[in-house]
Amino acid sequence: MSALRDLQAAMREAILGGDERAVAREIAGDGLEPSARLGIYRHHVFTTLTAALAGTYPVICRLVDARFFAYAAHCYIREHPPVSPCLVEYGATLAQFLAGFPPCRDHAYLPDVARLEWAINVARHAEVIAPIDRRRLATVPVEDMPRLSFRLDPSLLLLASAWPVDAIWRANQGDAGVEPAVDLGAGDVQLAVRRVGDDVIIRALDPASYAFREALRDGQTLEQAAAVALAIDARFDLTRAIHELLDTDLLTDFALSDTPALVT
Amino acid sequence: MTSAERCAASGPGRTGIGLRAPHVAEIMASRPALPFLEVHPENYMFGGPALAVLESVRREYPISLHGVGLSLGTAGDLDRRHLTNFRALIERVHPCLVSEHLSWSIAGGSYLNHLLPLPYTEETLGLFAGHVEEAQEALGRQLLIENPSGYMRFHHSPIPEPEFLAELVRRTGCGLVCDVNNIFVTASNLGLDAVAYLDALPAAAVGEIHLAGHARNDADGLSILIDDHGSPVADPVWRLYAHALRRLGPVPALIEWDTNLPELPVLLGEARLADRLSAATCGDDARVRAA
């Protein structure tokens, strides 16, 4: 058994869980309680991780105010400490945590705002991938087009919510104290979050366009994705939708599925 | 020429600064004369826009990768995914220096985002040396290992920190970062003699010196220094730096400033000050020696 492993496990417990008994007897106080010396390390761990979460979730922080955010973050860090030293990856599960966090029970929209902020974080750091080679795409015979499947820009994230989270997010940008009123009963939204240049853009989509992108993202063929969109809205314009994907560089690669086209 | 000498030889002066996001545009627009810029590799491991920016900076300045996440002191396996990502970053930016810390951050799969203290025992030495060798092999580079700031010591820690570092160098061939501010902070917090600490380091292994500001906190009536990288380098740390230069010679130095980030000229002023001290103490022959 490794003494060092035991010591580190005890120190982890002292820092995250607060039970210092096992590690305190290993520490020389040198004029200070071992607990106070441990507290120096604990303070750094919690303040820097709280700052990392506040950086990823600025709107949540503003909605609940900074003091409550620090309290919620403290609880979250104890239960869900980072597993990687790359802190832009930290906080993926904050939305689920807030959904089950009793003090947030009266603010049912908070978890979805957190999901939106996480999507923005992922979009911001997603890999930079070149758009599709249009000349290569143009060589696909017309009759094979229904069997096309695509890879989408990894900075595109799709998010549906029963709350107007895009309006909530926008109302909480800029200077504090000038928040426009948001109608929480405005109905559900289907959003596309995507990095464009140095910015991350949030765009509301109609249900058919949302379902079309979702189907393509999940690897369905053009024909299958079109069927999904048309089932939602018979007026869905496939040609226009494809042009829009191309014109906004949303497609990065394509493949032809082996399944023959269903419709001739 | 060693990698440390490449850092110092590649440009004007010997003192680089940490590259922090708010300063990137100004640095690229004004191109201040600096021998190198330092970044934390953990912020650039995703291939996103941050890496694209770093690659454009790299075309103008050598880069020093100063890791905080390898957790070489963890009693367990190193994080292979992190090592793989680190290696990929090294191949993209060809850093002049790659460094890490004498500390641990990961236990039970949790990353605690701090450079936590180790007991300096034979067990720790064997484990840490094994991890340094494994990391040097995986990264294809010599690592420089930095002395951390200490806020506590363990009852059972029989090997003095500088001796621990010297033995680590002997076993692994790694180099050292001599963080003069950390020595000052540790010595103050743990009642050690900072000059004696510095004199016990193996001088030939030191490839870089770090300088930073610290804060003074009151903890139950006891004054504790906190290595917060949030202010100018303190006067007694400059004096310790002058002593380090006399002992170590003209090695590259770095000004670290992470919290309460000042305007860029303040940071550049600190670097110039370090350069002047270096020139006054060691003469101006650093580049001749490095060539």
Side-chain angles (χ1 to χ4, degrees):
Chain A
M1 194 62 193
S2 156
L4 185 61
R5 191 187 296 265
D6 291 346
L7 181 72
Q8 290 176 345
M11 190 132 169
R12 176 193 184 279
E13 175 56 30
I15 288 174
L16 289 180
D19 182 354
E20 299 174 345
R21 283 170 299 180
V23 77
R25 58 176 173 265
E26 307 292 336
I27 297 167
D30 295 325
L32 207 58
E33 284 297 315
S35 172
R37 293 198 178 270
L38 277 169
I40 296 167
Y41 290 97
R42 184 187 297 114
H43 177 78
H44 180 94
V45 170
F46 279 94
T47 49
T48 56
L49 290 178
T50 300
L53 289 171
T56 301
Y57 293 100
V59 171
I60 293 290
C61 194
R62 185 158 155 172
L63 285 168
V64 301
D65 93 40
R67 278 182 59 201
F68 183 83
F69 185 85
Y71 166 67
H74 192 93
C75 300
Y76 177 73
I77 292 162
R78 284 179 71 154
E79 285 180 37
H80 307 278
V83 295
S84 146
C86 299
L87 291 184
V88 299
E89 292 182 319
Y90 184 48
T93 56
L94 188 73
Q96 290 105 292
F97 173 81
L98 291 175
F101 194 49
C104 291
R105 211 170 8 220
D106 294 338
H107 303 282
Y109 55 87
L110 278 180
D112 278 4
V113 176
R115 285 171 59 217
L116 175 60
E117 292 205 280
W118 183 254
I120 291 168
N121 181 56
V122 172
R124 183 167 290 134
H125 295 103
E127 213 173 335
V128 182
I129 304 279
I132 203 164
D133 181 345
R134 287 210 202 189
R135 277 178 306 182
R136 198 166 70 83
L137 183 62
T139 64
V140 175
V142 175
E143 63 271 23
D144 286 340
M145 284 192 174
R147 296 194 289 121
L148 276 171
S149 64
F150 295 97
R151 185 165 298 158
L152 272 53
D153 177 2
S155 88
L156 172 77
L157 289 104
L158 298 167
L159 184 115
S161 172
W163 304 92
V165 288
D166 50 341
I168 295 171
W169 187 86
R170 284 199 184 89
N172 286 281
Q173 304 301 308
D175 296 335
V178 289
E179 295 163 22
V182 175
D183 177 11
L184 287 177
D188 58 345
V189 290
Q190 288 86 31
L191 304 176
V193 175
R194 194 188 168 208
R195 185 182 65 226
V196 179
D198 290 338
D199 296 320
V200 175
I201 307 292
I202 303 167
R203 202 181 138 205
L205 298 175
D206 64 84
S209 298
Y210 181 89
F212 181 62
R213 282 164 175 70
E214 197 172 43
L216 287 180
R217 180 202 64 191
D218 294 344
Q220 297 197 42
T221 62
L222 197 52
E223 181 174 51
Q224 291 164 330
V228 168
L230 282 164
I232 291 171
D233 184 349
R235 294 163 301 169
F236 179 74
D237 183 341
L238 180 60
T239 310
R240 217 183 101 199
I242 294 169
H243 277 293
E244 199 189 320
L245 296 184
L246 284 169
D247 293 344
T248 55
D249 291 335
L250 210 51
L251 307 177
T252 61
D253 202 359
F254 70 92
L256 275 175
S257 97
D258 295 334
T259 327
L262 296 172
V263 182
T264 52
Chain B
M1 192 186 292
T2 68
S3 56
E5 284 162 348
R6 273 201 301 278
C7 258
S10 55
R14 292 165 198 152
T15 312
I17 61 170
L19 177 70
R20 300 299 174 256
H23 292 153
V24 171
E26 190 179 350
I27 284 177
M28 290 305 277
S30 63
R31 305 278 167 82
L34 287 164
F36 67 95
L37 293 167
E38 172 260 14
V39 298
H40 297 311
E42 292 77 13
N43 297 335
Y44 299 92
M45 288 183 172
F46 295 90
L51 179 58
V53 169
L54 183 64
E55 288 186 311
S56 67
V57 173
R58 174 66 187 92
R59 288 190 278 275
E60 308 300 328
Y61 294 97
I63 297 292
S64 167
L65 292 180
H66 186 41
V68 294
L70 261 181
S71 194
L72 293 166
T74 286
D77 295 337
L78 291 182
D79 181 343
R80 297 302 305 186
R81 172 179 171 247
H82 190 66
L83 275 173
T84 302
N85 291 342
F86 204 152
R87 168 90 187 216
L89 185 63
I90 287 172
E91 285 169 2
R92 292 284 283 266
V93 303
H94 303 287
C96 59
L97 292 172
V98 181
S99 51
E100 255 289 350
H101 295 83
L102 178 60
S103 64
W104 66 280
S105 310
I106 297 172
S110 302
Y111 174 71
L112 297 175
N113 200 40
H114 203 352
L115 305 168
L116 296 166
L118 289 161
Y120 299 129
T121 62
E122 279 301 326
E123 184 200 355
T124 307
L125 188 53
L127 175 117
F128 203 94
H131 281 169
V132 168
E133 281 175 339
E134 185 185 341
Q136 291 187 141
E137 175 72 29
L139 300 178
R141 291 289 299 255
Q142 184 201 36
L143 278 176
L144 303 187
I145 300 298
E146 176 181 330
N147 57 295
S149 283
Y151 307 99
M152 67 157 77
R153 64 182 182 88
F154 294 102
H155 283 303
H156 184 60
S157 185
I159 309 172
E161 191 172 282
E163 283 175 31
F164 189 98
L165 286 164
E167 181 59 19
L168 188 67
V169 167
R170 204 186 61 74
R171 290 193 191 183
T172 69
C174 73
L176 298 178
V177 171
C178 170
D179 190 315
V180 173
N181 183 59
N182 287 358
I183 293 177
F184 185 80
V185 165
T186 300
S188 170
N189 289 341
L190 304 181
L192 306 173
D193 178 338
V195 171
Y197 181 116
L198 229 158
D199 289 347
L201 285 177
V206 175
E208 190 186 12
I209 292 177
H210 281 189
L211 294 161
H214 59 254
R216 184 178 291 275
N217 282 12
D218 180 79
D220 297 339
L222 200 69
S223 187
I224 293 284
L225 302 188
I226 305 288
D227 174 40
D228 68 347
H229 298 182
S231 57
V233 177
D235 285 344
V237 175
W238 284 124
R239 285 194 289 277
L240 195 58
Y241 176 54
H243 179 79
L245 287 168
R246 281 191 293 276
R247 175 135 199 290
L248 307 174
V251 292
L254 169 73
I255 301 290
E256 297 180 293
W257 202 319
D258 293 294
T259 53
N260 310 318
L261 196 67
E263 298 289 316
L264 181 61
V266 177
L267 219 53
L268 296 175
E270 292 279 280
R272 300 283 171 271
L273 200 52
D275 272 345
R276 282 208 296 279
L277 252 173
S278 178
T281 312
C282 309
D284 240 342
D285 58 345
R287 250 164 288 160
V288 179
R289 275 194 221 175

